[in-house]
Amino acid sequence: MFEKKYYAGIDYFRMIAALLVVTIHTRPLESFGKTADFMLSGIAARVAVPFFFMASGFFLLFGCAGHTGDAGKLFRFVKKTAIVYAAATLLYLPVNIYRGYFSAENIVSKVMQDIVFDGTWYHLWYLPASVAGAAIAGVLVRKAGLKASLAITGILYVIGVFGDSYLGIVRQVPVLSDFYRLTFQVCDYTRNGIFFAPVFLALGGYLADRKRILSVKKSLCGFLITFGLLFAEAVLLRPFEAEHHDSMYFFLLPCMYFLFSLILHWKGKCPVWFKTVSLIVYIIHPMMIILLRPAAKLLALQQPLLENSLIHYAAVCLLSLLVSVLCILRGGKKR
């Protein structure tokens, strides 16, 4: 039932990150005020997806640098992620049909854009971003080395930040405004597999070398400081209404470096199914949000389950976890 892992903390934190993603999509503190909701859902929970990218890079990209591991891991990761993406796309296909997705104008180009960049449902962008980001970071690491790949992907991230949380500011510069206008004709957001994912994948690979892992004290102090600076950056930007999408900040990078270094000190035993459950929670939680609405109306529980944001969040998490565990148990019986 349990598997010994030197870095069991990574798998444990996958679940925390999955629940933080649910936080972003349900906004549990919205009933208690916009500021509290923004602090939790708009800032604190933004560490979740970068963590997932770093976890992938930690196990993939260090080997690509020629130090250890198998370069075939990258291909297997891309293949596995593409299969999961295809399955998730099929899961949400009936919902897309119901909401009239395929009746939109220029549907062919829209479908291609969503498949490659934006995701076939709003949270599924993470999967094609993982594929593209792993391919970009993997090639850079193999051809230029880990440090050079960090520099190049870091530049891509800076470009992405200006097209995300700082877009309203850079639009005042004609050249940059034209660049991002053209960019958004190809994809809706810069938080994708080109500008967002590669640097966190490369950073995960960088920390795979034990010599680069900071002590617990340095990791914790660094995280608290940069987490505070991340909050300050987001709060200071808010009055400018500059965000195109509030998922990319400059201080998110150093914050994730210290956080991941801290997580790597979390050792012990972890259930072998924990990683799979967290992935399923990530994939299915929007479906639970959809199904909870008619269920709440049928049970005459709209007020607690739909109108109270905190209870709504708890209900979505509970349903997602239950369905995920049932999937694991059913899969285990079939084997």
Side-chain angles (χ1 to χ4, degrees):
M1 183 178 177
F2 286 88
E3 176 183 41
K4 288 186 177 180
K5 289 191 175 182
Y6 190 78
Y7 299 113
I10 292 178
D11 279 347
Y12 280 120
F13 201 85
R14 288 182 199 272
M15 184 61 72
I16 296 172
L19 297 178
L20 284 175
V21 171
V22 181
T23 297
I24 295 170
H25 297 146
T26 58
R27 299 193 171 276
L29 297 185
E30 193 170 41
S31 297
F32 306 93
K34 291 184 177 180
T35 300
D37 171 63
F38 175 68
M39 292 291 186
L40 176 61
S41 307
I43 306 176
R46 292 301 178 187
V47 304
V49 174
F51 164 79
F52 284 128
F53 288 135
M54 289 185 70
S56 297
F58 181 83
F59 293 110
L60 288 173
L61 297 184
F62 191 61
C64 291
H67 299 288
T68 185
D70 178 7
K73 283 183 180 180
L74 187 60
F75 175 76
R76 291 191 293 272
F77 170 80
V78 169
K79 181 181 177 181
K80 181 180 178 180
T81 305
I83 292 171
V84 171
Y85 186 31
T89 296
L90 290 175
L91 175 65
Y92 287 93
L93 182 60
V95 185
N96 272 325
I97 293 173
Y98 176 78
R99 71 185 182 101
Y101 174 82
F102 295 100
S103 61
E105 295 181 4
N106 303 317
I107 187 59
V108 175
S109 60
K110 174 62 177 171
V111 169
M112 291 303 298
Q113 176 182 319
D114 287 344
I115 289 174
V116 176
F117 293 108
D118 300 330
T120 49
W121 196 250
Y122 58 83
H123 68 308
L124 296 181
W125 70 271
Y126 162 76
L127 296 170
S130 295
V131 171
I136 292 170
V139 169
L140 287 173
V141 168
R142 290 179 64 81
K143 299 296 183 181
L146 200 48
K147 291 184 179 179
S149 73
L150 275 172
I152 296 169
T153 56
I155 292 170
L156 290 174
Y157 182 78
V158 170
I159 295 171
V161 170
F162 283 122
D164 190 276
S165 295
Y166 287 79
L167 184 61
I169 296 173
V170 301
R171 270 182 173 157
Q172 308 305 315
V173 182
V175 175
L176 294 177
S177 179
D178 290 340
F179 169 77
Y180 288 108
R181 179 176 53 80
L182 291 173
T183 299
F184 293 131
Q185 289 180 6
V186 179
C187 53
D188 287 339
Y189 306 103
T190 52
R191 60 105 174 90
N192 56 39
I194 297 176
F195 300 109
F196 189 18
V199 70
F200 291 109
L201 281 150
L203 192 58
Y206 180 81
L207 281 171
D209 186 343
R210 294 183 187 179
K211 296 177 183 177
R212 294 167 179 153
I213 300 173
L214 302 176
S215 66
V216 173
K217 184 177 180 180
K218 288 182 179 179
S219 298
L220 180 58
C221 289
F223 170 66
L224 292 176
I225 291 169
T226 53
F227 194 54
L229 291 172
L230 172 63
F231 265 78
E233 181 183 8
V235 170
L236 289 172
L237 276 173
R238 202 178 185 197
F240 294 98
E241 297 182 350
E243 298 95 341
H244 178 61
H245 191 276
D246 58 350
S247 57
M248 298 178 72
Y249 296 101
F250 287 114
F251 279 106
L252 185 58
L253 261 179
C255 178
M256 292 309 304
Y257 172 78
F258 289 112
L259 175 60
F260 202 84
S261 181
L262 184 62
I263 290 169
L264 293 177
H265 290 281
W266 185 357
K267 302 177 181 68
K269 296 179 180 181
C270 180
V272 295
W273 43 264
F274 220 68
K275 177 181 176 181
T276 306
V277 169
S278 62
L279 174 62
I280 298 174
V281 168
Y282 183 97
I283 297 294
I284 67 167
H285 76 269
M287 188 64 75
M288 299 303 104
I289 295 173
I290 294 169
L291 295 176
L292 191 61
R293 293 186 178 278
K297 290 178 181 178
L298 182 65
L299 298 171
L301 294 172
Q302 295 99 316
Q303 197 285 325
L305 290 179
L306 301 181
E307 296 176 22
N308 186 304
S309 60
L310 187 58
I311 295 176
H312 177 67
Y313 167 74
V316 171
C317 288
L318 181 60
L319 284 172
S320 300
L321 287 167
L322 285 173
V323 172
S324 300
V325 171
L326 286 173
C327 289
I328 295 293
L329 294 174
R330 186 176 180 182
K333 287 180 179 179
K334 286 184 177 180
R335 286 194 295 270

